[in-house]
Amino acid sequence: MGQGNDQGVAGDGGTPLPDEIAADNAEQGGAWNGDDGRYWVQHRERQEARYRRLTPHLMAAAGIQADSRVLDIGCGSGGTSLEAARAAAEGAVLGVDVSAPMLAEARKQAAGSGLPQVTFERGDAQVHRFEDGAFDIAISRFGVMFFADPEAAFANIARALRPGGQLAFLCWRSVRDNPYLTVPMGAIAPYVQLPELEAPGAPGPFSLVDTDRIEKLLDSAGFDEITISAVDEPMWMGTDPDDVVAYQLGIPASRAMLAEASAEARAKTETALREALAEHQGSDGVTLGSAAWLVTARRR
């Protein structure tokens, strides 16, 4: 998602979107430049801790070498970009995202990490004009599920890779396979109207749960040697139930959901969530299961 000129549709926090963001991705861009992006920046360390058992799977599959040129798609606050830069000590890493708040945090983290080989740009990987064959490897940790036109996006990513270049990404399996969602959602379901998280074919966290769809998308985009492996890892949610409840109910979508509930329903929601999480408290905090697909492919 490359560098824009800060013109175009504004996010919900007033941050303009770059011209190059595809019109059909404007809603996603607005969210990540508004409350969602700012909340993730605020909780950057928590997010990295949540993914600490998942990220190594992605990095091992990517096969980054010291001189690799790496593209990190949907890099957010830069955690995976910095990890890639540590491996590509003599190479280069470009992290790309639509979120100005998260990219500002990524640049801040990079500046304090002594990794000059990593840079960040703002824009939309679905339409950004990457230089053909500019990268050896493209990676993404839960960043490729939000494209309104995934066919165009994966074709654009393929063009950015040299022939034989490696693609590696993590995407979520179905909601029902992910206790980090089903446990809290099951607890609060009697008291609030839950959002629809899994809409087949629609952009969102669970748009790539269908492995047949993944294979067809990648094959038509110009990839082969496609592998899709299940990754199941515990996810650290927080230090204790109170910590997790505060985080979960502070998420912008949760705040919007609770705003429509009565005071009694909000109180019952908080109590039910705390009690459900307490059953998963361990010595290092609250942990729930997560389920992802690890996908790799080669550009033809």
Side-chain angles (χ1 to χ4, degrees):
M1 305 176 175
Q3 182 68 46
N5 63 1
D6 288 344
Q7 301 296 316
V9 180
D12 62 12
T15 303
L17 303 183
D19 278 344
E20 71 158 16
I21 289 184
D24 49 6
N25 287 331
E27 182 177 352
Q28 291 288 340
W32 293 114
N33 282 281
D35 286 346
D36 286 346
R38 288 190 293 271
Y39 198 72
W40 275 58
V41 168
Q42 181 183 350
H43 293 279
R44 179 191 63 81
E45 291 184 3
R46 180 188 294 269
Q47 295 302 329
E48 292 303 318
R50 280 162 61 92
Y51 296 150
R52 66 190 177 198
R53 293 183 176 92
L54 290 162
T55 303
H57 292 277
L58 174 65
M59 293 303 167
I64 299 170
Q65 303 298 311
D67 60 350
S68 294
R69 301 166 299 162
V70 183
L71 173 63
D72 187 3
I73 303 150
C75 67
S77 296
T80 46
S81 299
L82 297 179
E83 191 75 15
R86 293 184 186 100
E90 301 167 12
V93 178
L94 174 63
V96 181
D97 203 284
V98 298
S99 174
M102 297 176 79
L103 288 173
E105 179 65 19
R107 293 186 180 104
K108 176 183 173 183
Q109 294 298 320
S113 299
L115 297 168
Q117 68 271 35
V118 60
T119 57
F120 298 94
E121 292 184 357
R122 184 179 178 222
D124 184 348
Q126 181 174 311
V127 295
H128 180 61
R129 290 183 293 276
F130 295 110
E131 180 184 349
D132 287 356
F135 301 96
D136 304 303
I137 300 167
I139 64 171
S140 184
R141 184 183 66 187
F142 305 116
V144 295
M145 303 92 69
F146 301 95
F147 298 116
D149 187 347
E151 292 87 353
F154 282 114
N156 200 36
I157 293 164
R159 284 192 293 271
L161 286 168
R162 63 168 174 78
Q166 171 86 337
L167 172 67
F169 66 83
L170 285 167
C171 61
W172 294 118
R173 300 199 330 253
S174 67
V175 171
R176 67 178 179 273
D177 292 330
N178 278 281
Y180 86 90
L181 285 171
T182 59
V183 169
M185 289 174 65
I188 68 175
Y191 312 110
V192 293
Q193 181 65 45
L194 295 175
E196 177 61 48
L197 294 181
E198 208 169 318
F206 299 94
S207 69
L208 295 177
V209 300
D210 184 343
T211 57
D212 288 340
R213 182 171 188 242
I214 295 172
E215 290 182 352
K216 290 175 182 176
L217 284 169
L218 294 182
D219 178 67
S220 65
F223 290 97
D224 57 18
E225 299 182 34
I226 300 163
T227 67
I228 304 174
S229 305
V231 175
D232 295 88
E233 289 287 0
M235 179 183 287
W236 182 85
M237 303 294 290
T239 57
D240 55 42
D242 287 339
D243 175 49
V244 183
V245 168
Y247 168 73
Q248 294 277 4
L249 299 187
I251 295 171
S254 297
R255 294 203 306 266
M257 177 181 65
L258 290 172
E260 300 179 0
S262 67
E264 180 183 9
R266 289 195 296 271
K268 289 182 176 180
T269 295
E270 185 171 335
T271 298
L273 183 56
R274 183 177 291 106
E275 290 176 350
L277 292 167
E279 296 179 12
H280 301 273
Q281 173 81 54
S283 60
D284 65 343
V286 177
T287 302
L288 294 171
S290 72
W293 296 123
L294 174 64
V295 182
T296 63
R298 294 277 181 185
R299 183 196 164 181
R300 285 196 287 268

